[in-house]
Amino acid sequence: MIKHLQPDGPDPERREAAARISAYWLTPLGLAIVFLLAGASGWRGNDDLHTDMEIVATALAAVIGMMALTRFYSKKDNTFLFISVGFFGAAVLDAYHATATSSHFQPHMPSYLPSLGPWSWMASRLFLSAALAYSVFAWRREQRLGMAGTYGERGVYLAAAALLAVTVLIFFFAPLPTVDFAGQVFTQPQEFLPAVLFVIAAVG
């Protein structure tokens, strides 16, 4: 009688999952360390460099969105649907931020750069963090209800497109309040909202 021997140690799927979880936690930790080290350097760029960096951010977000969308259609999983929508939305808002803060278009904007810059810069992170956080709830809903708990991609696309359109229209037509809390402990407290949503997504 031939016995099927099981390999010692955890199976490959468990090792892969453990490695993925480690990467999820080490990546933001490493970025935080880099931020702390670079933040003390006092280095400053200029308007043209800022525009170039935002164009790169737009391209990266779009590529990640395409990769997540491909994964979603290869195996229908609402988690990747919301991840793809989040990164595509971030790409759209990053592109708007690059355009609105460019020296060529700033004179035509309804808000001055000190107000428009921080709000439009935060918009992409807020949209992305909300989509990633919601992907956790969508995954749990799908695990609990099965196929009945999945979201239709058409409804998700329409909701995301409507939200992006409203956001851009507000930025384009409405004057924005200033974001200046100089002298306070937290100079930009509105940044806590996407930060909390990113933490929810990371924990989830």
Side-chain angles (χ1 to χ4, degrees), residues 105-120:
F105 293 94
Q106 174 52 213
H108 306 287
M109 295 294 149
S111 301
Y112 292 110
L113 186 60
S115 297
L116 179 62
W119 286 112
S120 62

Side-chain angles (χ1 to χ4, degrees), residues 5 8 17-18 31 52 83 97 119 149 170 179 189 198:
L5 299 177
D8 295 332
L31 291 174
D52 293 340
I83 290 174
H97 176 69
W119 286 112
I170 290 174
V179 183
F198 276 128

Side-chain angles (χ1 to χ4, degrees), residues 82-155:
F82 284 100
I83 290 174
S84 65
V85 167
F87 276 99
F88 276 127
V92 171
L93 293 173
D94 278 335
Y96 174 80
H97 176 69
T99 303
T101 56
S102 170
S103 58
H104 300 289
F105 293 94
Q106 174 52 213
H108 306 287
M109 295 294 149
S111 301
Y112 292 110
L113 186 60
S115 297
L116 179 62
W119 286 112
S120 62
W121 186 49
M122 188 190 75
S124 66
R125 297 196 303 283
L126 181 59
F127 188 92
L128 175 59
S129 62
L132 293 179
Y134 198 84
S135 72
V136 176
F137 295 102
W139 173 74
R140 293 187 181 278
R141 171 186 166 94
E142 191 172 348
Q143 291 292 312
R144 187 176 69 254
L145 301 177
M147 290 300 297
T150 59
Y151 291 91
E153 57 262 37
R154 181 177 296 181

